Amino acid sequence: EPPNTPKNFSCQTQDMKKVTCTWREEETYLYGKNSPLYTLSKTSSQKTALCEASCYKQCSCSWDIGQQWNWNVTVTVENPLGKATATDVFDVNHRMYPTAPLQVWEDCTDTEMTLHWNYENNEIELFCQTEVVQPDGKAELHNSSVSYSRRVTVRGLQPYTQYMARVRCGAARHFWRWSEWSQPLTARTKEGAPSGRLDIWREITPVLGGRDVTLFWKETPSFQANGKIISYEVTWEKIEDGSQPESISISSVYNSTRIFIDNYSYRISIMAYNSANFSLPSVLIISRATDNSRSIFSTEELKEGQVNGTDDGIFVSWDPRSIYDSYIIDWCNFPRLQTCDLQWKRFGPNTSSAVISSAAFVPGVRYKFRIYGSVANRASLLEKKIGYFRELPPCLDPVVRKVDLTYNSVTLSWDSYLTNESEPGFVRGYHVYVSPMQGNCNLKGSKKHILSDESELCKYTIENPEEKRYTVKHLMPNTKYKIVVKAFTGGGETPIVNFRYIDTPYNSNMLYFVFLLVIIPTLAAAICHWKMKWVKEWCCPVIPSPNKSKVLSFKEFKIDSEKVLKINDCLPDMLAMDSNAEAHKL
């Protein structure tokens, strides 16, 4: 291809002695002796070249300007297929492109940094700019206000903080472009007094003659160490009698200490110290041990409410009181260890609930929370809560101590379930599972429960964890059943493994009914058979037949088939007449 017009053709100087022109090399797909040939010359006399161009991705050509300040130059590119030109007209004074500053160094205080630098050509009037990169990566630009100045002061920095800085310059009178940046300089401001206050808390333990107070402290988000913390200054003084305060200095490697105080009120303050100064004091008040107000000594009066875990932590709520200016919740990250790692968190006066989260929270561990109200640095215990990050099933099943059977029911009695701190969840109630050994279960009032082996059970739910007795009704008499009692928590229950087996007795009422229907009639029949003649005579007496009477043993006289007795053949002892008519007839 024939060459195109050179792109980005421009000329500039770095020392007011030599001018360098640059442009972008274009691809013509011709190589060797047919490669493009570049010539830089004055526009007025293009036959005389000012310099020999060198190209590698970008072409450049330099020459001494002597005493000439205004220039009109042309670059010509040609190959066997054609040629193209580009022209630049300029005043050297307006094309100053300084070299990068040299030897950058700094002077620092706790909040200011002054950058100094040297420059290769001190005769040129320059205007310089400083870039300061904050620890978070944010960059700020600061301009020097005085020409020929070789320094700039940056203010408003953070104490004992590392910054990165670099400098660049441009012509002060006829600005053309910035120089390249200097080599970056890393510098740290000096230490300053710690800003803000520490967050402090305490744990009080009654002992003989007074109290042991364990003090804890930590840095708040607003606290700035502004240096290396060397130590913490702990001071306590009795409020009532204005006695001399006591103090101790604690190494910075610790964040707690223990002091002993008597039963009077005390004012305790803690300050952080670095090589510059102390921080502002953080203060708390310990009330008298004999105060009637609810304090650490009256915790037994408070009942422990239950709280529930969430995906993010444990949700804790409390009843707000208008007299307090803040609330504090404390808890142990490792409640089962002697060094429980006490933690605390503060909340504003308009807060009545919070989700307490900690990387130390694990499922199946009971955590205790104490909620305090604070006013004028004096804290009072308000409520106590217990809860789990996530509940797990109970470790053990209830122990069934007594089984009372009838032909159609079974009454189970078990021991009170232990609900101590080692339990992996709150016992919410019990499940009673029943099933006959043969066939499926369909007892009235129950729900079906399918085991992993597809077997079917009848399930009864007892939602009162204080209940220790339950009666399963509607059983079949003379039947073998398997039965088990399981405690459940918010985490469910353990798998069913071991059953208890029972046999319901016969129905005694049915036996009595059978006795009435079968035994008594059979007995009666046997007796009747044994005394049949007597029974027959008693129940069905024989009606006398005249034909069989001995009276008719005389010489037979028959009329038809009947024997006939003539009255005159008998000699009666007495004759009784039924009526006069009959008597007359006879």
Side-chain angles (χ1 to χ4, degrees):
E1 295 179 356
N4 293 320
T5 301
K7 301 291 180 63
N8 302 333
F9 177 58
S10 68
C11 303
Q12 58 199 12
T13 181
Q14 289 188 314
D15 55 7
M16 300 301 290
K17 296 177 181 179
K18 182 182 288 188
V19 170
T20 300
C21 295
T22 59
W23 63 92
R24 193 176 70 190
E25 183 181 17
E26 295 291 330
E27 181 63 66
T28 63
Y29 304 102
L30 293 174
Y31 307 100
K33 64 180 182 178
N34 294 322
S35 298
L37 178 64
Y38 295 94
T39 304
L40 187 67
S41 61
K42 291 183 180 180
T43 304
S44 58
S45 58
Q46 297 186 11
K47 293 182 180 180
T48 304
L50 291 172
C51 59
E52 184 179 348
S54 63
C55 295
Y56 180 71
K57 294 185 179 180
Q58 179 170 287
C59 299
S60 67
C61 188
S62 302
W63 75 96
D64 292 331
I65 60 176
Q67 299 299 319
Q68 184 177 342
W69 303 109
N70 296 309
W71 290 83
N72 185 346
V73 295
T74 299
V75 60
T76 303
V77 54
E78 59 180 323
N79 67 12
L81 300 180
K83 71 176 181 177
T85 61
T87 301
D88 189 15
V89 179
F90 59 92
D91 182 342
V92 175
N93 292 302
H94 294 186
R95 295 292 180 91
M96 182 64 191
Y97 173 58
T99 58
L102 305 174
Q103 298 176 337
V104 181
W105 71 96
E106 88 290 344
D107 289 327
C108 291
T109 67
D110 57 342
T111 59
E112 295 182 358
M113 178 189 298
T114 301
L115 294 171
H116 305 264
W117 62 89
N118 286 328
Y119 194 70
E120 192 174 278
N121 190 343
N122 294 325
E123 297 176 359
I124 303 174
E125 186 178 358
L126 298 176
F127 170 79
C128 295
Q129 186 180 67
T130 302
E131 181 189 62
V132 178
V133 181
Q134 305 280 347
D136 60 1
K138 182 180 179 181
E140 295 181 355
L141 296 176
H142 302 267
N143 296 328
S144 61
S145 58
V146 181
S147 300
Y148 289 107
S149 174
R150 298 290 185 267
R151 68 178 184 179
V152 65
T153 299
V154 181
R155 296 178 175 84
L157 303 180
Q158 293 296 320
Y160 201 65
T161 303
Q162 185 170 287
Y163 295 90
M164 188 188 75
R166 57 183 183 173
V167 182
R168 65 182 179 179
C169 297
R173 291 189 177 183
H174 305 288
F175 182 82
W176 168 241
R177 62 175 59 174
W178 290 110
S179 71
E180 296 296 324
W181 287 107
S182 67
Q183 289 296 318
L185 171 73
T186 300
R188 183 185 293 275
T189 52
K190 292 184 178 180
E191 294 191 10
S195 60
R197 290 180 168 87
L198 295 169
D199 186 2
I200 64 175
W201 189 231
R202 84 292 186 275
E203 188 173 35
I204 304 173
T205 305
V207 294
L208 184 63
R211 295 163 289 176
D212 279 339
V213 180
T214 304
L215 300 170
F216 304 88
W217 56 86
K218 62 184 177 182
E219 296 181 359
T220 62
S222 61
F223 179 86
Q224 297 293 329
N226 295 336
K228 276 187 162 184
I229 298 299
I230 299 173
S231 63
Y232 297 98
E233 194 76 10
V234 180
T235 305
W236 64 99
E237 59 181 327
K238 194 179 297 185
I239 295 176
E240 281 85 352
D241 59 5
S243 59
Q244 284 294 324
E246 299 181 66
S247 64
I248 54 174
S249 182
I250 307 297
S251 171
S252 61
V253 300
Y254 301 104
N255 64 350
S256 66
T257 189
R258 179 179 294 177
I259 63 173
F260 173 81
I261 61 175
D262 55 30
N263 291 322
Y264 290 95
S265 298
Y266 276 80
R267 179 183 185 273
I268 300 174
S269 66
I270 303 178
M271 298 182 293
Y273 174 72
N274 63 16
S275 62
N277 210 334
F278 288 96
S279 68
L280 295 174
S282 299
V283 178
L284 59 82
I285 305 297
I286 305 294
S287 301
R288 290 172 61 94
T290 55
D291 281 353
N292 292 326
S293 59
R294 187 166 291 161
S295 64
I296 192 70
F297 302 105
S298 57
T299 58
E300 299 301 328
E301 301 174 7
L302 296 174
K303 292 184 177 180
E304 294 178 332
Q306 292 186 5
V307 293
N308 298 318
T310 67
D311 293 338
D312 301 320
I314 300 176
F315 180 77
V316 180
S317 62
W318 61 90
D319 294 329
R321 281 81 159 174
S322 59
I323 62 172
Y324 297 112
D325 54 32
S326 65
Y327 297 96
I328 303 101
I329 299 178
D330 71 3
W331 70 94
C332 283
N333 269 341
F334 307 101
R336 295 178 180 176
L337 301 180
Q338 185 175 0
T339 54
C340 76
D341 187 22
L342 184 72
Q343 301 292 316
W344 71 96
K345 195 170 183 180
R346 295 182 181 272
F347 302 92
N350 298 321
T351 305
S352 60
S353 65
V355 175
I356 305 299
S357 59
S358 171
F361 286 168
V362 294
V365 174
R366 180 179 296 183
Y367 297 94
K368 293 185 177 182
F369 300 91
R370 294 179 294 192
I371 303 165
Y372 296 82
S374 178
V375 57
N377 299 318
R378 191 187 302 264
S380 301
L381 182 63
L382 304 179
E383 298 180 30
K384 297 169 71 177
K385 306 285 186 178
I386 54 175
Y388 296 83
F389 174 58
R390 187 168 71 248
E391 294 185 49
L392 297 179
C395 299
L396 301 172
D397 293 333
V399 178
V400 177
R401 295 296 186 187
K402 187 178 180 182
V403 178
D404 293 325
L405 283 169
T406 67
Y407 71 93
N408 67 346
S409 69
V410 57
T411 300
L412 305 171
S413 301
W414 56 88
D415 292 341
S416 297
Y417 199 87
L418 296 178
T419 56
N420 55 32
E421 298 178 6
S422 63
E423 282 302 312
F426 296 122
V427 175
R428 313 282 181 173
Y430 303 93
H431 289 144
V432 178
Y433 297 94
V434 183
S435 177
M437 294 300 294
Q438 301 294 330
N440 293 328
C441 183
N442 55 359
L443 296 178
K444 183 179 178 181
S446 66
K447 293 183 178 180
K448 287 187 178 181
H449 181 79
I450 308 299
L451 296 178
S452 57
D453 61 357
E454 302 300 327
S455 60
E456 186 177 296
L457 303 177
C458 284
K459 176 182 176 181
Y460 298 88
T461 300
I462 306 166
E463 295 184 346
N464 180 10
E466 302 299 324
E467 188 67 54
K468 298 186 290 292
R469 179 184 175 92
Y470 190 77
T471 299
V472 179
K473 300 178 180 179
H474 309 293
L475 300 180
M476 294 296 295
N478 192 28
T479 305
K480 190 169 187 176
Y481 288 89
K482 56 183 179 180
I483 191 166
V484 67
V485 180
K486 305 286 289 184
F488 66 89
T489 67
E493 64 186 20
T494 55
I496 301 173
V497 177
N498 297 318
F499 286 93
R500 185 167 188 152
Y501 298 91
I502 59 171
D503 291 287
T504 54
Y506 287 98
N507 188 345
S508 58
N509 294 332
M510 184 64 70
L511 292 176
Y512 179 70
F513 183 70
V514 170
F515 178 78
L516 292 177
L517 291 181
V518 178
I519 301 302
I520 292 179
T522 302
L523 183 61
I527 294 173
C528 290
H529 180 74
W530 180 42
K531 296 287 186 178
M532 185 177 293
K533 184 177 181 181
W534 175 82
V535 171
K536 183 177 181 181
E537 291 178 354
W538 184 77
C539 294
C540 303
V542 179
I543 300 174
S545 175
N547 292 323
K548 297 179 179 181
S549 174
K550 293 180 178 180
V551 177
L552 302 179
S553 61
F554 50 84
K555 185 178 178 178
E556 294 183 353
F557 175 76
K558 295 184 178 180
I559 296 177
D560 295 328
S561 61
E562 298 293 334
K563 290 181 178 183
V564 177
L565 173 64
K566 293 182 179 180
I567 295 299
N568 55 9
D569 292 337
C570 298
L571 298 175
D573 293 333
M574 183 180 294
L575 182 63
M577 296 300 176
D578 287 341
S579 65
N580 292 329
E582 283 296 323
H584 179 71
K585 184 184 292 187
L586 290 175

